Amino acid sequence: MSVIRIGSAPDSWGVWFTDDARQLPYERFLDEVAEAGYRWIELGPFGYLPIDPQQLREELAQRDLTLSAGTVFEHLHRPGSWDTVWGQVSRVAELTAKVGGKHVVVIPEMWRDSATGAAIESRDLSAEQWHAKTSGVDRLAKAMYESYGVALQYHPHADSHVGAPAEVYRLLESTDPDFVHLCLDTGHISYCGGDNLAIIGKYPDRIGYLHLKQVDPAISTAVTTDDVPFGDAVRRGVMTEPPTGIPDLPPILAAIAHLDIDVFAIVEQDMYPCEPDRPLPIAQRTRKFLSGCGIPALRFTPEDVR
């Protein structure tokens, strides 16, 4: 049976950017994620948490927290993009490794501008661009592992070139299974019309990491019909608190539990921007919900793993 380590992330506290006046100070995020009962967290946007490894280790140790992964975006389908992408990825991978993390979640950059929602490139990739992306992701995964000992977990995302089911399958079928693993974000998969259980069934050996997230089906249908940019959809509340949305999480966790893997499942609820007092009660209720799902593989503290 698998070990599924439940954690949380800055995203669940409304954090999308390195520095933004509408976001909580990192100290409050760390205090509250520990208060909510989580012990594993992600870096979030590079620079939101301290980037000095010693300082970050001390901040985490003070709250009995452990780093699960770093997070970074890629745009490897664009010509001449390797140096820029590797420069960003290597910073995140190096910090992650120095603080004890073993994973970096890599997300495809969106084809819309994150601030305005305007299209900045075609929403579809050519065959040449697909080859550039998949070969680039292979190269990135191998470089990350060889240089820093961290595993690449690829994260399909709304408003990106890897979100819809066919795109997810194409990415997996075109990359090296020994190095490129899937971060199954349950909310983004549902948002983009996919079936999480089908992906687990089709590619059980590629599942390397999870983001636990739900979408409001009514809002999701409306924003898809109206082609609403993802940022605006989040502000409308498309990502919702479990268990009020889809997909149903217990069957997904049960399917993962039968894969015989040790995997992180990081709770995320996109809420940027949000009122500062909103995240903590949601995080507490979500942890209580997950602990009551009846999945013996779930672990909430390092002590649970032993």
Side-chain angles (χ1 to χ4, degrees):
M1 179 171 286
S2 298
V3 171
I4 305 174
R5 304 169 190 244
I6 303 294
S8 193
D11 191 37
S12 291
W13 268 256
V15 175
W16 275 12
F17 302 102
T18 298
D19 186 19
D20 188 297
R22 289 180 289 184
Q23 297 176 171
L24 294 175
Y26 81 82
E27 296 92 342
R28 180 170 174 181
F29 158 68
L30 293 176
D31 289 342
E32 292 191 356
V33 75
E35 182 180 346
Y38 298 95
R39 291 294 174 264
W40 291 289
I41 66 163
E42 293 181 350
L43 281 180
F46 186 77
Y48 174 67
L49 295 181
I51 62 174
D52 175 77
Q54 182 60 32
Q55 181 186 359
L56 182 55
R57 282 193 293 266
E58 291 173 358
E59 293 278 9
L60 298 179
Q62 287 172 13
R63 300 164 176 88
D64 197 21
L65 296 173
T66 300
L67 185 69
S68 63
T71 306
V72 69
F73 286 78
E74 63 82 16
H75 53 269
L76 290 165
H77 62 283
R78 299 176 190 166
S81 60
W82 172 261
D83 288 345
T84 299
V85 171
W86 177 244
Q88 296 168 341
V89 169
S90 60
R91 292 188 307 166
V92 173
E94 181 178 25
L95 178 60
T96 298
K98 286 184 175 179
V99 184
K102 300 297 183 183
H103 308 275
V104 172
V105 176
V106 176
I107 306 171
E109 286 190 6
M110 294 185 289
W111 51 265
R112 298 197 216 241
D113 184 273
S114 60
T116 67
I120 55 178
E121 59 184 329
S122 172
R123 68 177 68 199
D124 298 310
L125 297 180
S126 67
E128 292 78 12
Q129 288 173 316
W130 263 108
H131 177 71
K133 181 175 286 293
T134 55
S135 61
V137 168
D138 271 345
R139 180 183 177 189
L140 189 65
K142 292 172 185 175
M144 286 168 47
Y145 187 77
E146 291 169 358
S147 298
Y148 303 106
V150 296
L152 185 150
Q153 308 292 344
Y154 201 86
H155 180 309
H157 197 284
D159 279 3
S160 83
H161 297 109
V162 186
E167 296 164 347
V168 175
Y169 295 156
R170 185 170 184 173
L171 186 284
L172 291 175
E173 290 166 1
S174 304
T175 52
D176 188 337
D178 290 334
F179 287 93
V180 180
H181 316 284
L182 180 67
C183 172
L184 185 72
D185 185 299
T186 59
H188 279 278
I189 294 297
S190 291
Y191 184 100
C192 295
D195 183 329
N196 286 274
L197 289 173
I199 293 173
I200 296 169
K202 187 175 178 66
Y203 296 101
D205 295 336
R206 301 299 290 274
I207 305 297
Y209 201 91
L210 287 89
H211 281 171
L212 301 180
K213 186 180 298 180
Q214 287 191 323
V215 299
D216 182 303
I219 297 175
S220 180
T221 298
V223 298
T224 299
T225 300
D226 296 338
D227 197 23
V228 173
F230 180 67
D232 290 344
V234 168
R235 286 185 282 275
R236 294 188 189 187
V238 71
M239 297 301 177
T240 189
E241 175 183 348
T244 61
I246 61 171
D248 192 18
L249 294 179
I252 294 172
L253 292 168
I256 296 296
H258 285 91
L259 297 183
D260 193 24
I261 58 175
D262 190 333
V263 65
F264 285 104
I266 303 300
V267 175
E268 282 197 329
Q269 183 181 343
D270 292 287
M271 294 194 293
Y272 176 85
C274 69
E275 295 299 319
D277 294 332
R278 187 176 175 220
L280 177 57
I282 292 176
Q284 291 170 323
R285 291 192 297 267
T286 301
R287 189 191 185 287
K288 183 177 180 180
F289 162 72
L290 290 171
S291 65
C293 282
I295 309 296
L298 300 190
R299 304 289 187 269
F300 291 91
T301 72
E303 291 73 24
D304 294 339
V305 179
R306 300 190 186 113

